[in-house]
Amino acid sequence: FHGNGYTISGLYIEEVGSQLGFFRYIGDLGEVHDLTVKGNVIPSGSQTELGGIAGVNYGLIQNCIFEGNILGQEAIGGIAGTNGAFAKIINCSTKAFVQGTNRTGGIAGVNEGTIEGCTNESKVNIEELEPVLEVEGMDMGDLNMAQVLVTRNNTGGIAGRSSGLILNCTNKGTVGYEHVGYNVGGIAGTQKGVIKDSSNHGDVYGRKDVGGIVGQAEPYIESEY
């Protein structure tokens, strides 16, 4: 799909489901180039793998922009909810409000492939979550073990969780909310892949394992300046 620099505006996705975006899936031979999409991806139901350009990308997304709102649960990204193992997101940017509870990123919620040359100006998980506690049917032992506060885990300016490559990327957006969420990073919330030649210029907030570049690196951190 060649956008030829045009903008598609007015996207509004609110149905029940997951794997949703302007494209639901981009296959391993699929390519999307030079496209700007403006709108809202705010479905109900399971709300997993949501993105402004694609819910799930197995191919190539290049020179694309998303502006708008994306609200969901898991694997939520400004460009793609999930960027697959051999997939690529190259020279893309977002200016959006991106919100999820687990694996949320300004470019991709989950990155297993390559994200290169991308810039995030989105605000990622910047709102407080209300505490939720279900007490019906619980005894005191259950109550003591209960997770009283709903939290947000694995939040990043570029990717929420990355096991692939993040190269030459920049985050300029605010990431996280004060005292809320584990594994929050300016580039990646959690990463066990490679992050190279990338920089963060945004504010990063969280409760535990919070970093300017990475919230939590697995299995080790190697820094080169």
Side-chain angles (χ1 to χ4, degrees), residues 131-173:
V132 175
L133 179 63
E134 296 290 341
V135 297
E136 185 176 354
M138 283 186 176
D139 60 26
M140 289 307 296
D142 293 331
L143 187 60
N144 291 335
M145 295 293 289
Q147 182 179 356
V148 177
L149 294 176
V150 176
T151 190
R152 291 191 170 111
N153 299 324
N154 306 312
T155 300
I158 299 298
R161 181 175 180 87
S162 178
S163 56
L165 306 177
I166 297 178
L167 310 172
N168 301 303
C169 291
T170 302
N171 175 60
K172 298 180 180 179

Side-chain angles (χ1 to χ4, degrees), residues 49-218:
E49 295 187 304
L50 310 179
I53 302 298
V56 180
N57 175 44
Y58 295 113
L60 171 65
I61 301 174
Q62 188 169 16
N63 299 329
C64 291
I65 299 169
F66 177 77
E67 298 180 11
N69 299 285
I70 304 176
L71 310 179
Q73 294 294 325
E74 294 201 23
I76 312 300
I79 296 295
T82 294
N83 191 47
F86 299 101
K88 295 181 179 180
I89 299 175
I90 298 176
N91 295 335
C92 294
S93 64
T94 61
K95 294 181 180 179
F97 178 83
V98 183
Q99 181 175 301
T101 57
N102 190 18
R103 297 177 294 172
T104 309
I107 299 297
V110 175
N111 175 47
E112 299 169 347
T114 299
I115 299 176
E116 183 175 359
C118 293
T119 300
N120 173 59
E121 296 184 44
S122 297
K123 297 176 180 178
V124 185
N125 280 349
I126 64 165
E127 290 191 350
E128 185 178 14
L129 278 168
E130 295 296 326
V132 175
L133 179 63
E134 296 290 341
V135 297
E136 185 176 354
M138 283 186 176
D139 60 26
M140 289 307 296
D142 293 331
L143 187 60
N144 291 335
M145 295 293 289
Q147 182 179 356
V148 177
L149 294 176
V150 176
T151 190
R152 291 191 170 111
N153 299 324
N154 306 312
T155 300
I158 299 298
R161 181 175 180 87
S162 178
S163 56
L165 306 177
I166 297 178
L167 310 172
N168 301 303
C169 291
T170 302
N171 175 60
K172 298 180 180 179
T174 301
V175 180
Y177 187 87
E178 290 185 73
H179 313 302
V180 175
Y182 300 147
N183 305 336
V184 185
I187 298 298
T190 302
Q191 86 94 19
K192 58 179 181 179
V194 173
I195 296 176
K196 186 176 180 181
D197 298 328
S198 297
S199 61
N200 171 51
H201 304 274
D203 294 329
V204 182
Y205 302 99
R207 180 173 181 175
K208 184 176 182 292
D209 297 325
V210 181
I213 299 297
V214 176
Q216 184 172 138
E218 303 171 350

